């Protein structure tokens, strides 16, 4: 019987809002540059490819606060150069990153709070395991989610990242939980599904229905999670 549930954060509990093109264009305008969202959007595919290539090459940047911050600034720097503002890349990268350190630039999915409330009321212990910089706990506090969680494990704060089994083992130890009584919910089978390596039951939140072939338990909405956990 599942008594403990860990959650990923990005694309599981919350998402960037406004979007990166909107945030970057806003940062540019705040510094006196005439830039629109339409000027930025054509370069997002390149930014996404850069992140994917860096992650595949050496995703261990998520194990360091400094390196995890730098990867985002590097991505924003690409946008600065592609929009003709390369001379000001460092300034705009810092300004854009600063926005995403605040709750104002993140939104919770509608199913998050109802799910967390239901699980808490049913006696589950809840925690977070996320590839994130060391500012995660402060951000969760600002968006109002921190009171739901007994343990928050950010990869950059502990020096290990998903899919490394160690990060899941650390979370279990901090929670004082047994793996066979624990589930982990996230949006990426390759990272979050690795919880199975230590005996944790992985559940993939698959809002776009793109991971059905992963062989893992998938749900369309967190509203379905309590019932799924009862069947585990």
């Amino acid at each position: 019987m599942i008594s403990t549930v860990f959650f990923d954060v990005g694309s599981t509990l919350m998402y960037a809002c406004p979007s990166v093109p909107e945030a970057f264009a806003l940062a540019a305008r705040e510094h006196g540059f005439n830039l629109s969202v339409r000027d930025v959007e054509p370069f997002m595919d390149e930014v996404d490819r850069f992140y994917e290539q860096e992650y595949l090459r050496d995703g261990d940047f998520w194990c360091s606060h400094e390196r995890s911050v730098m990867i985002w600034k590097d991505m924003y720097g690409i946008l600065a150069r592609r929009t003709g503002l390369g001379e000001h890349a460092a300034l705009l990268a810092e300004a854009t990153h600063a926005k995403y350190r605040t709750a104002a630039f993140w939104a919770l999915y509608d199913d998050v709070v109802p799910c967390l409330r239901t699980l808490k009321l049913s006696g589950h212990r809840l925690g977070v395991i996320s590839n994130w910089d060391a500012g995660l706990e402060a951000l969760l506090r600002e968006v109002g989610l921190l009171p739901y969680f007994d343990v928050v494990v950010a990869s950059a704060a502990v020096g290990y990242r998903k899919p490394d089994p160690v990060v899941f083992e650390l979370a279990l130890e901090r929670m004082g939980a047994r793996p066979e009584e624990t589930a982990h919910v996230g949006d990426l089978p390759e990272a979050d599904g690795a919880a199975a390596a230590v005996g944790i039951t992985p559940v993939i939140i698959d809002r776009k229905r793109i991971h059905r072939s992963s062989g893992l338990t998938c749900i369309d909405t967190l509203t379905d999670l309590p019932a799924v956990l009862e069947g585990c």
Side-chain angles (χ1 to χ4, degrees):
M1 184 175 180
I2 301 298
S3 59
T4 300
V5 186
F6 289 104
F7 290 87
D8 176 47
V9 175
S11 299
T12 297
L13 300 179
M14 60 189 191
Y15 58 96
C17 183
S19 67
V20 169
E22 291 171 309
F24 183 84
L26 176 59
R29 291 195 300 272
E30 289 174 348
H31 284 85
F33 304 108
N34 184 21
L35 201 68
S36 72
V37 174
R38 289 186 177 182
D39 295 325
V40 181
E41 287 178 334
F43 306 109
M44 283 305 299
D45 285 345
E46 180 180 350
V47 169
D48 291 340
R49 286 195 303 271
F50 169 78
Y51 174 82
E52 291 169 4
Q53 290 167 358
E54 288 298 299
Y55 183 81
L56 291 173
R57 184 179 65 83
D58 179 17
D60 282 351
F61 58 78
W62 280 124
C63 299
S64 158
H65 177 72
E66 292 75 16
R67 291 180 65 197
S68 59
V69 168
M70 187 55 63
I71 196 72
W72 294 118
K73 290 184 179 180
D74 286 346
M75 292 162 67
Y76 305 141
I78 291 172
L79 293 178
R81 291 188 292 275
R82 293 295 181 264
T83 55
L85 298 174
E87 182 181 353
H88 309 284
L91 171 68
L92 295 178
E94 174 60 38
T96 305
H97 184 258
K99 293 186 181 303
Y100 285 118
R101 292 199 297 267
T102 69
F105 280 73
W106 293 94
L108 304 181
Y109 293 101
D110 292 341
D111 54 5
V112 170
V113 171
C115 173
L116 298 181
R117 283 178 176 167
T118 297
L119 292 176
K120 273 293 190 183
L121 288 172
S122 62
H124 289 81
R125 293 184 298 167
L126 307 181
V128 163
I129 305 173
S130 187
N131 289 348
W132 207 281
D133 65 46
L136 179 58
E137 188 166 328
L139 182 59
L140 290 173
R141 179 181 295 108
E142 193 173 347
V143 300
L145 292 184
L146 191 60
Y148 290 102
F149 300 118
D150 302 298
V151 168
V152 174
V153 175
S155 60
V158 299
Y160 296 94
R161 66 173 176 95
K162 298 178 294 184
D164 192 327
V166 175
V167 74
F168 296 104
E169 291 171 341
L170 282 171
L172 287 170
E173 181 179 352
R174 291 186 178 185
M175 184 71 85
R178 298 162 58 92
E180 64 271 21
E181 297 174 356
T182 302
H184 173 72
V185 184
D187 66 301
L188 296 175
E190 60 271 25
D192 300 298
V198 299
I200 294 173
T201 300
V203 178
I204 302 301
I205 176 68
D206 189 18
R207 292 187 174 88
K208 296 181 180 180
R209 301 182 67 85
I210 59 176
H211 297 306
R212 288 310 197 265
S213 62
S214 66
L216 300 172
T217 298
C218 293
I219 54 177
D220 296 331
T221 170
L222 291 178
T223 306
D224 298 332
L225 183 60
V228 168
L229 296 178
E230 287 183 6
C232 290

